[in-house]
Each structure stands twice: as C-alpha cells, then as structure tokens.
Amino acid sequence: MTTTLDRTAPRDLAAEFPARLSLAPRTTLAGRLDGAWWPYSRDLEAELPPLVAALDEPWGRVTRVTVNPICWPVVPRKVPVGGRVLHVGWFTEQDPDKLILLSYTVGRWDLLVIPPETEPAAAARLMAAAAIPGSVLTAGVLIANETVIGRSIRDARRREATWESEGGACMSPFGNPMGRSALPLPGNGWR
C-alpha cells in the first residue's frame, strides 16, 4: 500500500495557525480525557510542533507522544520541536481517536483527536464535550455520539428543505397539498 501526502498545504496551515485545543480545567475530578485537539491535517510532523508548543506553558515539557497508526498515514519516530526531539510511538491497541502525551516530570494527558475534515460546528461540540472535568466518556464514544448527532442534524435539515420545497404545505391523507383554510377549525375557532 502506498500513501501520498500533500505536504504543502497542511504544513503551511500548521505553521501559520496555532494549535486548535480545548483543555479541561485543572480540578480534582479525574476524567477519561484531558481535552481535545483538532489538527489541520493528518501529517504528524507538521501538526505536533504547534501542539507541543501550545502545551509547554500550561502543562510542561512534553517528551513523548503515542498515537494509533490507523488514523495517521505516516508515524515518524522522532519530530523536531523547538530545538529538541519529541519521540513518537504508536500502538494499535490505543483508541484511534486519542493522542497520549507524556512528560517525565508532569505525567500523562489524553486528548481526543478530532478528525481534520470535521465540520466546525461538530468540532466545537466535540471540543466542549472532551473538556468537561470528570467526564467518563472515552474518545471513541464521543466520536460515535457526534456521528449520530451530526446525522440527526443533517436529517432534520433535509426534512426542513423538503418541507420548504413543497411550499411548507400540509398534506392531506390522499397526498394533496392543503392550505390553512382547508384545515378544520379547533374548538376555539382560531386557525
């Protein structure tokens, strides 16, 4: 199997824009996730430096990262970050929608990885859900829930568009459009 990466656009986006992050506030409530990360691409070499740079101040120096290779076409072993080297590992047993960050001094953080192609509204819902302190929802559950919610929203929009394209008319039991005047009057006489 061959994988081709368009390295120009994602690297430009990752270098130009800050990491899109949502972090859970520091509390005594331990949850399954410590926040969410929405990368611009699936290019770890381009995406990890801005992420690690954004986390250096609030969390401390990140030394290692682990991912599931299912979602990343290329998993480099080492990524240069600000004059140092970030070690990258992969585990097929790890949740594909999760990134694990490790630090020698501070510990471990688990972030939901929102797929780069996710619509902004869906990404915003996922980022908010992953940053809830003490949440017991896993990365896979959050992504699955968002898939259902997104499908429901698309279905509602499709039904509304159908309603509008039909003139917003009520249909008789025989499939013919009925105007408001054809509707029976309620008990109070109002239409």
Side-chain angles (χ1 to χ4, degrees):
M1 177 174 119
T2 11
T3 304
T4 306
L5 291 176
D6 176 13
R7 294 187 179 266
T8 56
R11 285 186 190 272
D12 291 345
L13 281 176
E16 186 177 330
F17 297 111
R20 299 182 288 190
L21 276 172
S22 173
L23 302 175
R26 291 183 187 239
T27 66
T28 57
L29 297 172
R32 295 272 182 123
L33 296 170
D34 298 298
W37 174 48
W38 185 22
Y40 295 96
S41 70
R42 294 197 183 272
D43 182 357
L44 279 174
E45 271 191 272
E47 296 291 341
L48 285 176
L51 171 67
V52 171
L55 294 174
D56 271 348
E57 187 178 321
W59 278 355
R61 186 174 176 168
V62 176
T63 56
R64 295 186 181 277
V65 174
T66 65
V67 298
N68 185 318
I70 290 173
C71 294
W72 304 98
V74 176
V75 180
R77 293 187 62 202
K78 296 177 181 180
V79 175
V81 176
R84 60 188 172 96
V85 174
L86 179 68
H87 296 274
V88 182
W90 56 268
F91 298 97
T92 55
E93 298 85 18
Q94 182 174 319
D95 188 335
D97 302 309
K98 184 168 72 172
L99 175 87
I100 298 174
L101 303 160
L102 302 166
S103 169
Y104 289 124
T105 57
V106 185
R108 169 184 165 160
W109 304 279
D110 294 6
L111 294 180
L112 168 69
V113 177
I114 300 169
E117 61 276 2
T118 303
E119 294 178 9
R125 286 190 297 270
L126 285 167
M127 290 182 111
I132 296 173
S135 175
V136 295
L137 299 177
T138 64
V141 168
L142 287 174
I143 293 289
N145 287 350
E146 182 54 43
T147 302
V148 171
I149 290 168
R151 187 177 313 125
S152 297
I153 290 171
R154 283 189 302 277
D155 289 348
R157 286 182 183 149
R158 183 181 40 77
R159 285 191 303 274
E160 185 177 340
T162 301
W163 172 265
E164 292 296 327
S165 69
E166 293 174 350
C170 294
M171 302 299 279
S172 75
F174 306 107
N176 301 324
M178 298 181 351
R180 286 185 63 85
S181 60
L183 295 175
L185 290 173
N188 62 7
W190 292 55
R191 265 195 207 168

